[in-house]
């Protein structure tokens, strides 16, 4: 088993002195016994701090709200799941039988949690300086591509603010269909707005993404007709 973890260590660029910490970081609660939830908690806090510190120095003129939105875009679950896939973490996860059967090794939330778990484990294994160094290495391209010009609020927030500014009722979201196997589902969501006769549909592999897509389409429609 240690040779398998050494393979992962090469991918993430850090070799654990205590491979037991890495194993724990990859153990989902469905597996039973000790799991990575405490390491996730620790890793989440460290990741937020390291990214916040880098953005603070990288954008000395940015306002607090801008920095918060930049950080949120970098530490959100989608970004962490992307990192996990780059490391192919799904090949190393320890999951219970139910999660294995449902394709948990591909699920964004489980993959994202495993990255946070590894960060927590790395901190315990080597300390903050080493942990910071590797987080920034993982995020190098993403941080360099970050710009205040592309800092935007998410579509649901922008739609809500658009409607509130015009004294309209807030949008309502409704899941109208879910298709596909449990591990590979597509959500169909309708966004209902009182100033539009027809519901606006959004799709995505999670309810959240489908709602965001529906909100983005609703915004485009409202701006076209200038309601």
């Amino acid at each position: 088993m240690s040779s398998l973890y050494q393979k992962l260590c090469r991918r993430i660029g850090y070799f654990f002195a205590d491979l037991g910490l890495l194993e724990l970081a990859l153990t989902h609660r469905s597996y039973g016994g000790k799991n990575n939830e405490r390491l996730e908690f620790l890793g989440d806090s460290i990741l937020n701090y390291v990214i916040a510190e880098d953005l603070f120095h990288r954008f000395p003129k940015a306002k607090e709200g801008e920095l918060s939105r930049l950080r949120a875009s970098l530490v959100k679950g989608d970004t962490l799941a992307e990192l996990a896939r780059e490391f192919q973490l799904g090949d190393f996860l320890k999951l219970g039988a139910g999660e294995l059967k449902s394709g948990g090794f591909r699920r964004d939330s489980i993959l994202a949690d495993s990255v946070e778990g590894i960060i927590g484990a790395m901190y315990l294994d080597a300390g903050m300086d080493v942990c910071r160094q590797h987080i920034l290495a993982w995020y190098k391209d993403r941080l360099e591509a970050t710009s205040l010009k592309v800092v935007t609020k998410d579509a649901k927030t922008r739609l809500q603010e658009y409607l509130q500014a015009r004294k309209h009722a807030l949008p309502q979201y409704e899941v109208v269909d879910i298709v596909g196997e449990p591990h590979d589902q597509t959500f169909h969501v309708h966004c209902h707005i009182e100033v539009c006769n027809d519901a606006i549909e959004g799709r995505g592999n999670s309810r959240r993404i489908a709602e965001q897509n529906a909100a983005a389409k609703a915004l485009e429609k409202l701006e076209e007709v200038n309601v």
Side-chain angles (χ1 to χ4, degrees):
M1 183 63 72
S2 63
S3 61
L4 181 65
Y5 288 142
Q6 291 291 345
K7 183 178 180 180
L8 176 57
C9 287
R10 284 193 293 273
R11 290 180 184 174
I12 66 177
Y14 175 74
F15 289 83
F16 280 80
D18 182 357
L19 283 175
L21 283 170
L22 177 58
E23 181 177 9
L24 184 60
L26 298 166
T27 304
H28 188 256
R29 63 178 177 271
S30 64
Y31 192 79
K34 290 185 177 181
N35 58 66
N36 61 8
E37 289 184 335
R38 283 172 54 85
L39 288 177
E40 290 170 29
F41 167 78
L42 183 60
D44 174 69
S45 299
I46 294 167
L47 176 63
N48 273 272
Y49 166 71
V50 169
I51 296 300
E53 181 186 44
D54 182 88
L55 293 173
F56 180 85
H57 294 296
R58 190 179 292 267
F59 299 103
K61 296 183 180 180
K63 296 178 181 179
E64 183 271 340
E66 293 173 320
L67 291 172
S68 293
R69 288 193 290 276
L70 281 174
R71 181 183 60 183
S73 71
L74 291 165
V75 304
K76 65 183 180 181
D78 292 350
T79 305
L80 290 171
E82 287 175 4
L83 275 173
R85 291 190 174 94
E86 290 169 11
F87 297 141
Q88 299 180 349
L89 288 189
D91 296 343
F92 303 91
L93 296 177
K94 298 180 71 172
L95 305 171
E99 286 292 351
L100 279 173
K101 187 176 180 180
S102 66
F105 56 90
R106 290 191 294 265
R107 188 167 298 124
D108 281 6
S109 59
I110 292 178
L111 290 170
D113 289 345
S114 69
V115 174
E116 291 177 340
I118 288 174
I119 291 172
M122 190 161 51
Y123 169 78
L124 294 178
D125 198 58
M128 190 64 189
D129 289 343
V130 170
C131 196
R132 179 191 289 108
Q133 173 189 339
H134 285 82
I135 291 172
L136 293 178
W138 298 348
Y139 271 89
K140 182 177 183 294
D141 291 341
R142 290 176 172 84
L143 285 166
E144 290 178 352
T146 300
S147 168
L148 290 175
K149 294 180 181 179
V150 298
V151 177
T152 58
K153 298 176 183 178
D154 64 74
K156 287 181 67 175
T157 301
R158 287 187 286 121
L159 176 59
Q160 179 174 314
E161 292 179 350
Y162 183 98
L163 294 170
Q164 285 177 324
R166 291 159 178 77
K167 310 298 183 185
H168 296 314
L170 296 180
Q172 300 294 320
Y173 298 92
E174 175 191 11
V175 177
V176 294
D177 196 14
I178 304 174
V179 297
E181 298 298 320
H183 63 278
D184 187 23
Q185 294 180 327
T186 298
F187 289 74
H188 296 236
V189 168
H190 279 177
C191 176
H192 300 277
I193 305 173
E194 66 176 8
V195 293
C196 293
N197 293 328
D198 300 322
I200 297 101
E201 183 177 341
R203 302 182 184 185
N205 58 11
S206 71
R207 177 173 181 167
R208 181 184 63 80
I209 293 173
E211 289 179 350
Q212 292 288 357
N213 289 337
K217 290 181 180 179
L219 268 172
E220 290 178 3
K221 186 171 183 178
L222 290 173
E223 289 169 353
E224 283 177 3
V225 297
N226 196 27
V227 175

